[in-house]
Amino acid sequence: MTATVPTLDPTSFAVDLTAGSRLWGDARVASDTDDTASAPGQVVVGLRCPEPGTHEAHFSVALRGHEADAPVWITLMATTALVEAIRGDTGVAVWSVWPDSVVAPDGQVIAGAEAQGAGDTTTVRFHVVFGSDGIPFGPASAALEQYAAERPGVQSLVVEVLRAFERLYLRWSDFARVPGPSGLVADYASFCGSVKVEIEAGLRDGGLLIGTAEGVDTDGRLVVRSGGTITTLAPRHVSRVRPLAVLPS
């Protein structure tokens, strides 16, 4: 298979993303060392090549400041947007894994997102791995090729991710940033491969928790039942979460 180097066109990217948008007012393509958005409404995207034959699209968005606990739900809606876009563009049944990862059907992490608040700005950072053939999934692209119905370009996929995020974010904002009434809890659960299944959670204190992830509460925390004990995990409590069940493909 001929290698394809992912590319981004600054002009068409800005036009495609900002036209008709209520959220994005400025979009630019940056160098691989300057891909952090700083002003609300700004989107910055760049490409990196962490190893031969593999590229990563790194893109960030800046939003106006939020309540202290909002970045948790913004992270969850960002991974939901990644799942929606990758499924829609490739036909691959990818899944989010709480709190910040997206995995292929074989469990390999292929994308992720994280929101962080600082002062009056919340920054959301996304990344998607692309292989030498220009489709998501990086080193495992050959093994996963059987799943892909389409092969989106990097630019197309980034635009679709950010459009999906905009829809989720604006709906959440329209409902006073309350996850339940906005439908965000249900949306997240429908695309999450680490709820209603057995999971293994590596804890930052060195412990290991194995149990059934019953769902995500209204604060974005993972609720895990282990034996007769219910444990509620915040992202800061865990180093990793791994579903023990085989994810549907």
Side-chain angles (χ1 to χ4, degrees), residues 51 53-57 82-83 85-95 102-111 127-152 154 157:
E51 59 185 68
T54 302
H55 294 79
E56 290 183 1
L82 282 163
V83 171
I86 294 173
R87 285 190 181 191
D89 272 10
T90 69
V92 177
V94 298
W95 298 89
V102 174
V103 300
D106 66 352
Q108 177 179 319
V109 176
I110 58 165
H127 72 274
V128 182
V129 180
F130 287 79
S132 59
D133 52 6
I135 64 173
F137 316 137
S141 59
L144 293 170
E145 186 177 340
Q146 60 182 306
Y147 297 108
E150 302 290 341
R151 297 187 178 187
V154 174
L157 185 57

Side-chain angles (χ1 to χ4, degrees), residues 25-36:
D26 174 34
R28 65 183 178 90
V29 175
S31 69
D32 62 359
T33 58
D34 180 28
D35 54 13
T36 300

Side-chain angles (χ1 to χ4, degrees), residues 148-213:
E150 302 290 341
R151 297 187 178 187
V154 174
Q155 184 165 310
S156 169
L157 185 57
V158 170
V159 170
E160 289 305 311
V161 169
L162 293 175
R163 285 175 177 166
F165 178 83
E166 179 176 7
R167 288 193 301 271
L168 294 167
Y169 181 84
L170 291 178
R171 192 174 68 198
W172 176 65
S173 298
D174 289 344
F175 281 85
R177 300 175 180 172
V178 180
S182 69
L184 186 55
V185 174
D187 282 349
Y188 180 75
S190 68
F191 289 123
C192 184
S194 55
V195 296
K196 306 300 181 183
V197 297
E198 293 292 308
I199 59 102
E200 177 184 273
L203 307 181
R204 293 195 184 277
D205 64 5
L208 186 67
L209 177 64
I210 297 176
T212 301

Side-chain angles (χ1 to χ4, degrees), residues 17 37 48-49 64 103 107 116 132 135 155 193 198 212 214 217:
L17 185 63
R48 302 178 187 177
C49 185
R64 298 194 184 280
V103 300
Q116 294 181 324
S132 59
I135 64 173
Q155 184 165 310
E198 293 292 308
T212 301
E214 299 200 330
D217 69 12

